Amino acid sequence: MMREPVVVNGVTRWLKAGETMNQQNEAKEPTMPVLREEIGYVLRDVRQRQGRTLREVSHDARVSLGYLSEVERGQKEASSELLSAITAALDIPLSVMLREVSDRIAVEEAVQIPDTIPAELAHRYAKQQQQGHGYNRGDHLAKR
């Protein structure tokens, strides 16, 4: 069966070819996400986006190739020290990896991920979009 990646809020999900997120969610019973699996998915996704091999990352993290593979497949629980070593080898902060895991779990649990943009900025951005103007980071500073 063919599966294809679908990105939702920066989180990559693998769906059956031609299936939408809604169809997938309707088709299966709600399941409790397994933390070690979500961590593995995120670690693998980061590594693959960097174009790195398991061997390269395992060497840099000083973790056996087989163990890193099992962590990525969600078969082994990784300690905080091991996760720290792996994220350091991937050159990403542990907090970023954990945030991605959190976002994936929120999607699994069908939780609405809150918008972290302050209401004032969101309103200003929406107003500019309606007027056809882009938003530049310095815009709010120039109006002070």
Side-chain angles (χ1 to χ4, degrees), residues 120-132:
E120 178 186 325
L121 291 178
H123 177 71
R124 186 178 304 157
Y125 177 76
K127 193 175 184 180
Q128 287 179 345
Q129 290 298 332
Q130 289 174 349
Q131 295 171 353

Side-chain angles (χ1 to χ4, degrees), residues 13 20-30 107-108 110:
R13 303 291 308 247
T20 66
M21 288 292 290
N22 289 338
Q23 289 171 330
Q24 182 195 36
N25 290 338
E26 290 172 6
K28 68 177 185 177
E29 289 292 317
V107 169
E108 279 285 321

Side-chain angles (χ1 to χ4, degrees), residues 6-57:
V6 175
V7 179
V8 177
N9 293 334
V11 176
T12 303
R13 303 291 308 247
W14 290 86
L15 302 177
K16 294 176 188 170
E19 185 178 52
T20 66
M21 288 292 290
N22 289 338
Q23 289 171 330
Q24 182 195 36
N25 290 338
E26 290 172 6
K28 68 177 185 177
E29 289 292 317
T31 59
M32 184 172 164
V34 179
L35 184 60
R36 72 173 182 272
E37 291 176 357
E38 298 302 325
I39 288 171
Y41 293 144
V42 170
L43 291 174
R44 175 178 284 148
D45 187 51
V46 169
R47 178 182 58 78
Q48 290 177 339
R49 278 188 275 145
Q50 292 178 356
R52 298 182 63 197
T53 65
L54 268 171
R55 186 173 308 280
E56 292 169 340
V57 176

